[in-house]
Amino acid sequence: MTVNSTLRKTNPFVGNGNASSFPFTFKVFTENEVVVVRLNTSTSTEQTLALTTDYTVTLNANQNANPGGSVNLVGGNLATGFNLIITSNVQSLQGVDLTNQGGFYPEVINDALDKQAILHQQQQEVLDRS
C-alpha cells in the first residue's frame, strides 16, 4: 500500500446538534492513534477529547485498501457552537524487527514505510501551523 494522501487532519465538522458520527480517511494502525479536538467557537477554546470517555473509534477493516473510519461521540450529538477536528498521533517508534534469513513479508515492510510517511506528514502539519 502507498500513502496516497498528505492529509492527516479532517476539515472542521461544524456542530448543528444532529450528528454524533464523523468520518476520517487517513490510515492509522490502531484506534489509540486517532486524536479528536473539540473547539468552542464562541471562546476559541480547544479541548482534546479522551478515547472511550468522550468518543469511540471504528476503523475500516482494511486500512491499506480503505484507510480511515469514523469517530462516534459518546455523549451524543455535536452541539451548535462547537467544531470537531480529527487528526492522528502515530507514535514515532520503530516496531519492525527484521531477522537474518527470516521470512520476508511485504506487508510488514509496506506498513513500516507507511508509518514513516505518516510521521513526516504529522510533523509537516505542525510545522505548517507554526
Side-chain angles (χ1 to χ4, degrees), residues 10 13 18-24 31 34-38 49-60 68-78 84-86:
T10 63
F13 294 101
N18 293 325
S20 64
S21 181
F22 305 93
F24 63 95
E31 64 183 23
V34 176
V35 177
V36 179
V37 177
R38 182 175 55 205
L49 302 182
L51 180 63
T52 67
T53 303
D54 299 315
Y55 68 95
T56 60
V57 177
T58 303
L59 296 178
N60 295 339
S70 63
V71 166
N72 304 293
L73 297 178
V74 171
N77 297 340
L78 182 62
L84 196 76
I85 294 177
I86 304 169

Side-chain angles (χ1 to χ4, degrees), residues 3 12 19 22 28 37 39 54 65 71 74 81 86 89 110 115 117 125:
V3 177
F22 305 93
V28 292
V37 177
L39 169 71
D54 299 315
V71 166
V74 171
I86 304 169
N89 186 22
N110 284 334
K115 184 173 183 179
E125 196 277 325

